[in-house]
Amino acid sequence: MQETSDFVLFLGRFHPLVVHLPIGFLLFAFLLEILARFQKNKALTVVVPLALLSGAISALVACILGYLLSQSGEYEKSMLDRHFWVGIGTTVVAFLAWAIRTDKIKISALQKLKPNMALLTLLVILIGITGHYGGNLTHGSEYLIKYAPFNAKAEKELPPLASLEEAQIYSYLVEPILEQKCMGCHNSSKQKGGLAMHTPNLLVKGGKGGAIFNAGNSAASELIKRVTLAEDHEDFMPPEGKTPLTEEEISLLTYWIDQANADFGITIASVETSEEIKQLAANSLGLDFEGEKNMVSTKLPEVPPVDPELLDELSASGFKIRELVIGASLFDVSLPPNTIPSNQNAQPSLELLLKIRANIIRLDVSENHISNEDLAIVGQFLNLRQLQLEKNPIDDEGIPKLMVLKQLESINLYGTKIGKASLPLFSQLSSLKTVYAWQTNLEKDDITFGNKNLTHPKIILGAL
Amino acid sequence: MCNGHDTLKSNNKDLQEVEKQWDRRNFLTKTSLGLGALAFGSLLNSEKAWSNLGNPDAESTAANSFIKNRLGLPHHLPKAKRIVYLFQSGGPSQLDLWDYKPKIKDMFGQDLPESVRQGQRLTAMSALQENFPIAPSIMDFKQYGESRAWVSELMPYTSEIVDDLCFIKSMQTDQINHDPAITFMQTGNQLPGRPSMGAWLSYGLGSDNENLPTFITLITKNMTGQPLYSRLWGNGFLPTEHQGVQFRSGKDPVLYLSDPENYDGNDRRKMLDYLGKLNDVQHDTYGDPEIQARMAQYEMAFRMQTSVPEVTDMSDEPDYIFDLYGEDSRDPGTYAANCLMARKLLEKDVKFVQLYHQGWDQHIGCPEGIRAQCKRTDQANAALIKDLKQRGMLEDTLVVWGGEFGRTVYSQGQLTQSDYGRDHHPKAFTMWMAGAGVKPGFTYGETDDFSYNVVKDPVHVHDFHATLMHLFGIDHERLTFKHQGRRFRLTDVHGHVVNDLLS
């Protein structure tokens, strides 16, 4: 395809702006004509010719700019043609209406039909049609009626799956990603970069630069390159302002190209699939997946944002709050030792934190006179990954209250009174990797069986 | 008050001329500084850090409200919350400690093949040598732990903890002499003037404990060797309060913290408030950001009057802890005592504790010299790891051990059956890390049979820096500071995160 000069495109992009001028002028002419008729006020019709002429001329300009814009080759041919011809038609009729109105042309047959009104009505209809086709071109033909009450949700329903293994990789994992993040600009009517993704054939065909993936080799695939560039890179996809792909989504695309050879029918069962990918796939399909052993989802939980004033309030009551990933509203919260004195109940303090319980993924309330009962509150922080409870008056009776913390990876219980009874509980927490248990009632013999150590989780005792 | 010069007007014609000039000059300084201050204001990382200065309640309000990071950090979920960097100054011999090279055992005294050296730049100390006799290490090496890591007989304590360590055997630097190499290691550039790693972290992430400096340096006492300059923990062009604060090696880590005789210190708060007001006036007049940095330092010093004696008090450490770190740890200012102090500072959430231990520059008498060095440091290194681990702190504390470069396989000076010297070697050396986010019990990278060239997975100093920043949740390419018209970063225009090291 021939390259279009930048200047042509620059001008062309004024088309969407200029088109509103003829629409305004011509509708205004129509409005005046009607008002004049109802109010029997001839004076109103004086400006009709002017409105018609302005409308016609601006329509002509819009046509020219529209033609320039179409040179970008980003629009689907048949839809473009329709918009093109109806647009020209509208312009011609506008000039005609003006000519008749100002008696530049006199056709006696038409005079009788009150041609001004008729032509104006025709114009309004034409404008409507042109506008609609134009809208379809920019927004896609489903845009207008997508949320209409009569529109039965046209989304493709994929048949439900009996197991993760039988999911077709493309339709169940890849297509939804492309649909959500890319097809807004790469579809039947809008083909940015000459690329459409809504059918497998077109996806294979690629864009202006040719094929966008190289089956079996994601590293040499334009598709992967574009989404893994630095976010501020010119070629990064999706372009600035749109939500980028997450790491998980990129892994799935990579998996499809590398492991599934970018095949459109193949299922998870028939290709080599790592545990991690299975986990990601299960997450994305909303299926349960029991990994081989203590797989933890690496994905950060999505949580509601927190009111900054609430954070100030919590800070004022002694909590130290650090944001762990900027903008993600995930926090590391700690309470300096002995903020809660020994003669005071820790409950009110901990309850304050419940307001942001989903947002806390690391919590340190060590050395603060936390009791077994208080752990019932700690157990409500369901997204906790790291919990520091060391040097608190806690024993085996408190641990069952923490069994709901399914994301927990490490728990620090050094200097507490926990003992052997808690060991089986720890093993049940599948994501738990490490328990720190120095200076507790646990001893070396408790965690060795014969000469084998308890392997899950790791129990760390003292150095001596 | 200090605006007195505004009222200075003379009747004398000549003097009036001078006054006019003065005014113009004043105008220029004020406006330019004012602009500078504006620019500076936009660089501050914590929204509320300054707004309360000069206000009597500054301390309490600043500490009690949520401070949002203004630089948009961390970029991703951090694994490390704090770091202790055990800097072994002088360039420890990887050949006698970690990088076991059995194949050269029977090449004793042979000339190092040119194919290995490949015209590598040498220091002035061995460049004039006629030949380069291979000096195999006389140390006994064994494999330890489940990870089967090689460790020499010189590090018996460290050999017990290899399953917690992540060895990088393929470190590379650009520099061959001490000062540029150590400056490079600590600041990412061989020339003085760039901010050190700790200053970058302090600038980027702020403080976790308002009562102590974010970045503290401890140096082993009574050691000689290559000099250590304060710019190694300096702030470079970053705001001054991000520089490392050196604690003295000895009984009194920070001088003049206690009140002088016959002064109870009760009105010090008042005094500082008045001083703060005066400085405010000065700042309003001149807009010099350094005035604010100075005010912040006064306030920090004030808080350190209580926080430092508390954290440096060793009397509450039980005997078994001193036993763990070794006998030296009872003697303030030794490496072992500094390791113990480091743990206490980290417990208080000091973000960056930097230890320096000089004396690893074994040009002559390598076996004897390095043995003595290991005796001073080995037990304490291992103790620090064990101590952090049993307290659960290794979970989010990063420990780094290493020097500025490695040493040569050939002997500098006389080679005998029991003695050799080793010159500086930048092309391959060993470091280890442990803790937060790095793979435990793991060895990365390989050198050739002479520990001279890296043959697998090289890790350049820039890569090391990038990885370190990554562990703190920072994308090293995105933490920058604009200075003299250009954006600077710790890794300059280099560096790749070594993903294989991450757990």
Side-chain angles (χ1 to χ4, degrees):
Chain A
M1 187 178 279
Q2 192 187 331
E3 278 297 316
T4 323
S5 94
D6 281 354
F7 192 63
V8 165
L9 288 182
F10 169 71
L11 288 179
R13 291 203 170 180
F14 281 91
H15 172 74
L17 198 129
V18 172
V19 284
H20 295 95
L21 291 176
I23 297 177
F25 286 131
L26 297 174
L27 283 181
F28 192 52
F30 182 64
L31 196 71
L32 286 172
E33 198 70 54
I34 291 184
L35 277 178
R37 254 154 230 266
F38 275 110
Q39 304 190 341
K40 306 256 171 340
N41 182 353
K42 273 270 168 203
L44 281 176
T45 56
V46 176
V47 281
V48 170
L50 180 64
L52 280 174
L53 184 62
S54 317
I57 293 175
S58 54
L60 182 66
V61 176
C63 281
I64 296 169
L65 293 177
Y67 175 72
L68 298 182
L69 181 60
S70 72
Q71 294 305 296
S72 69
E74 283 174 8
Y75 302 96
E76 201 243 342
K77 186 87 172 62
S78 66
M79 284 178 77
L80 184 66
D81 280 350
R82 264 178 273 170
H83 179 62
F84 181 80
W85 289 116
V86 189
I88 291 180
T90 313
T91 314
V92 171
V93 174
F95 275 111
L96 202 66
W98 169 75
I100 293 176
R101 185 74 173 74
T102 52
D103 290 337
K104 294 260 179 324
I105 319 177
K106 287 188 185 156
I107 305 169
S108 51
L110 293 178
Q111 296 286 300
K112 270 196 222 129
L113 286 168
K114 297 198 194 304
N116 288 326
M117 200 57 218
L119 274 177
L120 278 171
T121 313
L122 176 65
L123 262 180
V124 170
I125 294 170
L126 281 174
I127 288 174
I129 297 175
T130 322
H132 178 65
Y133 284 149
N136 280 358
L137 274 181
T138 27
H139 300 295
S141 52
E142 273 117 55
Y143 183 78
L144 189 62
I145 48 165
K146 177 141 188 212
Y147 296 103
F150 53 81
N151 191 22
K153 292 274 168 274
E155 266 176 36
K156 261 184 288 176
E157 276 291 335
L158 291 165
L161 292 167
S163 76
L164 187 61
E165 265 69 24
E166 67 185 40
Q168 285 180 336
I169 298 170
Y170 180 74
S171 332
Y172 282 84
L173 299 174
V174 177
E175 198 176 9
I177 300 175
L178 299 180
E179 193 166 327
Q180 195 196 348
K181 300 264 172 94
C182 317
M183 285 191 204
C185 298
H186 300 289
N187 56 35
S188 57
S189 41
K190 214 176 173 190
Q191 308 185 342
K192 299 278 180 181
L195 172 65
M197 298 183 170
H198 60 294
T199 71
N201 284 344
L202 289 171
L203 190 57
V204 170
K205 186 172 142 271
K208 280 185 197 166
I212 58 162
F213 57 82
N214 199 334
N217 186 354
S218 62
S221 297
E222 187 69 13
L223 178 77
I224 301 297
K225 265 189 218 156
R226 291 262 184 163
V227 295
T228 48
L229 287 167
E231 247 174 69
D232 50 3
H233 193 286
E234 217 181 312
D235 288 343
F236 182 77
M237 283 292 142
E240 212 183 330
K242 307 275 171 189
T243 322
L245 298 191
T246 61
E247 256 172 56
E248 290 79 12
E249 288 169 336
I250 294 172
S251 314
L252 288 173
L253 293 183
T254 315
Y255 159 71
W256 174 62
I257 293 176
D258 286 343
Q259 252 68 36
N261 263 317
D263 188 282
F264 287 88
I266 216 162
T267 60
I268 293 182
S270 42
V271 303
E272 196 188 314
T273 308
S274 69
E275 293 289 306
E276 265 161 294
I277 292 291
K278 282 188 188 164
Q279 184 68 51
L280 291 181
N283 289 350
S284 118
L285 295 171
L287 292 174
D288 280 335
F289 170 67
E290 285 298 322
E292 276 183 351
K293 58 166 198 264
N294 59 58
M295 278 288 306
V296 194
S297 81
T298 47
K299 210 169 147 180
L300 292 173
E302 283 184 24
V303 292
V306 177
D307 179 6
E309 282 188 16
L310 181 55
L311 294 176
D312 277 344
E313 211 177 288
L314 291 170
S315 306
S317 33
F319 290 103
K320 294 203 162 191
I321 306 178
R322 288 196 316 151
E323 191 160 18
L324 281 170
V325 181
I326 207 78
S329 294
L330 293 171
F331 300 104
D332 174 328
V333 175
S334 58
L335 195 61
N338 296 313
T339 308
I340 300 171
S342 56
N343 55 4
Q344 201 175 308
N345 194 337
Q347 233 139 333
S349 267
L350 291 175
E351 272 165 1
L352 283 179
L353 273 189
L354 283 178
K355 290 184 199 155
I356 56 165
R357 66 195 179 115
N359 305 74
I360 303 181
I361 60 176
R362 295 180 190 163
L363 179 65
D364 175 1
V365 285
S366 54
E367 220 177 336
N368 263 307
H369 306 99
I370 306 285
S371 65
N372 283 339
E373 288 75 58
D374 301 330
L375 292 186
I377 304 177
V378 176
Q380 297 177 49
F381 296 85
L382 291 178
N383 285 327
L384 277 186
R385 295 188 177 187
Q386 189 180 329
L387 175 59
Q388 292 183 243
L389 290 169
E390 66 263 27
K391 303 192 210 164
N392 280 313
I394 300 172
D395 58 33
D396 291 331
E397 273 169 35
I399 302 303
K401 304 190 177 115
L402 301 176
M403 293 306 289
V404 281
L405 300 176
K406 295 288 178 230
Q407 305 293 327
L408 202 60
E409 290 170 27
S410 99
I411 181 167
N412 194 335
L413 291 163
Y414 118 69
T416 64
K417 297 256 161 350
I418 59 141
K420 237 170 147 170
S422 293
L423 283 180
L425 295 182
F426 293 143
S427 313
Q428 280 171 35
L429 281 171
S430 61
S431 59
L432 190 62
K433 290 183 197 145
T434 329
V435 177
Y436 296 93
W438 180 44
Q439 295 183 342
T440 61
N441 294 337
L442 275 174
E443 282 168 23
K444 205 157 175 70
D445 289 345
D446 299 332
I447 58 168
T448 37
F449 303 101
N451 50 11
K452 263 185 76 183
N453 277 3
L454 184 71
T455 49
H456 169 77
K458 259 211 188 99
I459 311 276
I460 309 291
L461 300 179
L464 297 171
Chain B
M1 209 175 291
C2 358
N3 304 359
H5 51 70
D6 287 343
T7 60
L8 181 68
K9 286 275 174 312
S10 169
N11 296 329
N12 179 308
K13 253 194 156 186
D14 293 341
L15 269 184
Q16 277 173 0
E17 272 310 296
V18 175
E19 268 165 23
K20 250 189 226 155
Q21 282 176 6
W22 187 23
D23 278 340
R24 191 173 60 236
R25 196 170 52 215
N26 244 343
F27 171 77
L28 287 175
T29 32
K30 277 193 203 173
T31 44
S32 59
L33 282 174
L35 288 179
L38 278 181
F40 177 76
S42 67
L43 295 167
L44 282 175
N45 56 342
S46 47
E47 227 156 0
K48 290 176 178 153
W50 296 118
S51 52
N52 290 312
L53 279 179
N55 162 350
D57 296 325
E59 192 191 2
S60 49
T61 34
N64 288 347
S65 55
F66 174 67
I67 296 175
K68 194 170 175 68
N69 190 304
R70 281 262 295 255
L71 297 175
L73 295 170
H75 300 122
H76 55 259
L77 191 70
K79 290 279 175 64
K81 205 167 170 178
R82 30 187 136 64
I83 169 175
V84 51
Y85 195 135
L86 309 168
F87 200 93
Q88 314 297 316
S89 167
S93 162
Q94 77 281 14
L95 281 147
D96 296 290
L97 299 175
W98 324 106
D99 207 12
Y100 180 47
K101 294 296 163 193
K103 288 215 178 119
I104 52 170
K105 273 248 153 24
D106 35 67
M107 293 180 76
F108 176 87
Q110 290 177 24
D111 211 20
L112 181 66
E114 181 51 40
S115 60
V116 174
R117 190 159 75 82
Q118 294 172 345
Q120 149 77 3
R121 170 162 84 124
L122 301 177
T123 69
M125 291 164 282
S126 59
L128 296 177
Q129 248 171 252
E130 267 167 22
N131 52 7
F132 300 98
I134 291 174
S137 176
I138 58 167
M139 306 304 162
D140 189 23
F141 277 76
K142 282 206 188 69
Q143 283 179 293
Y144 295 91
E146 279 172 34
S147 55
R148 312 310 296 146
W150 288 100
V151 180
S152 92
E153 60 182 290
L154 296 179
M155 293 281 196
Y157 288 93
T158 305
S159 67
E160 294 171 14
I161 52 148
V162 289
D163 286 342
D164 289 315
L165 305 185
C166 174
F167 289 95
I168 310 172
K169 298 230 168 139
S170 51
M171 284 299 303
Q172 295 191 312
T173 176
D174 294 342
Q175 301 304 323
I176 197 166
N177 280 314
H178 294 284
D179 193 62
I182 189 170
T183 308
F184 186 46
M185 197 56 150
Q186 302 302 65
T187 72
N189 196 292
Q190 62 161 321
L191 298 174
R194 299 286 175 89
S196 54
M197 269 180 273
W200 276 113
L201 285 180
S202 165
Y203 168 69
L205 299 173
S207 160
D208 289 333
N209 182 347
E210 300 291 328
N211 298 325
L212 285 170
T214 314
F215 178 17
I216 292 176
T217 299
L218 304 168
I219 302 178
T220 312
K221 70 174 174 183
N222 302 337
M223 294 298 296
T224 51
Q226 301 299 327
L228 299 168
Y229 300 103
S230 62
R231 59 177 149 80
L232 296 174
W233 49 95
N235 56 301
F237 40 70
L238 296 176
T240 317
E241 66 272 24
H242 300 298
Q243 71 182 308
V245 172
Q246 185 192 344
F247 278 17
R248 300 171 71 250
S249 33
K251 259 186 97 177
D252 241 347
V254 181
L255 285 181
Y256 313 122
L257 276 181
S258 44
D259 293 318
E261 236 176 294
N262 299 329
Y263 173 58
D264 59 9
N266 284 342
D267 58 356
R268 178 165 290 113
R269 181 65 262 168
K270 233 177 172 176
M271 185 189 91
L272 279 175
D273 290 344
Y274 278 117
L275 182 61
K277 275 186 201 155
L278 280 173
N279 276 328
D280 261 344
V281 171
Q282 190 79 351
H283 182 254
D284 284 348
T285 313
Y286 294 102
D288 184 350
E290 283 301 305
I291 295 174
Q292 290 188 316
R294 173 61 65 94
M295 286 157 74
Q297 305 286 60
Y298 282 148
E299 293 295 332
M300 173 61 77
F302 176 66
R303 296 194 293 271
M304 280 166 67
Q305 283 203 297
T306 37
S307 62
V308 168
E310 202 180 284
V311 71
T312 55
D313 176 17
M314 294 286 169
S315 61
D316 54 349
E317 289 297 320
D319 280 346
Y320 61 80
I321 290 293
F322 285 115
D323 293 344
L324 183 67
Y325 284 80
E327 206 36 51
D328 274 0
S329 63
R330 293 179 191 272
D331 178 7
T334 58
Y335 184 76
N338 283 349
C339 282
L340 180 51
M341 173 89 82
R343 189 217 80 212
K344 289 174 70 87
L345 292 171
L346 294 166
E347 263 182 321
K348 294 277 181 228
D349 277 333
V350 171
K351 197 177 297 289
F352 202 120
V353 182
Q354 171 90 53
L355 264 68
Y356 284 99
H357 182 81
Q358 294 160 297
W360 290 96
D361 195 19
Q362 274 77 38
H363 288 280
I364 49 168
C366 180
E368 193 196 334
I370 198 169
R371 182 160 304 197
Q373 282 294 83
C374 291
K375 262 215 142 60
R376 286 185 202 106
T377 57
D378 172 42
Q379 184 175 2
N381 286 334
L384 181 58
I385 299 277
K386 288 179 187 169
D387 202 11
L388 290 174
K389 186 172 172 180
Q390 68 191 0
R391 290 166 204 270
M393 291 170 68
L394 211 49
E395 190 82 20
D396 45 19
T397 307
L398 184 65
V399 186
V400 180
W401 180 100
E404 66 267 42
F405 42 52
R407 306 205 80 85
T408 56
V409 65
Y410 64 79
S411 177
Q412 178 183 347
Q414 184 79 36
L415 170 67
T416 69
Q417 283 296 339
S418 63
D419 195 22
Y420 43 82
R422 296 193 191 278
D423 202 357
H424 309 164
H425 188 59
K427 282 172 74 177
F429 62 107
T430 302
M431 286 179 68
W432 56 252
M433 302 204 260
V438 293
K439 278 186 192 152
F442 182 67
T443 296
Y444 185 75
E446 270 172 41
T447 56
D448 61 13
D449 291 336
F450 305 87
S451 189
Y452 204 94
N453 297 299
V454 170
V455 293
K456 195 169 155 223
D457 300 329
V459 178
H460 192 273
V461 171
H462 291 305
D463 302 330
F464 168 73
H465 286 156
T467 310
L468 194 139
M469 299 296 259
H470 179 89
L471 289 166
F472 278 88
I474 300 173
D475 175 351
H476 68 106
E477 295 187 359
R478 280 159 69 197
L479 175 58
T480 59
F481 188 92
K482 197 167 176 190
H483 172 65
Q484 294 184 339
R486 147 171 175 355
R487 284 185 186 80
F488 287 87
R489 44 180 241 233
L490 175 61
T491 48
D492 202 2
V493 296
H494 310 278
H496 297 279
V497 175
V498 187
N499 285 309
D500 288 336
L501 298 176
L502 309 177
S503 62

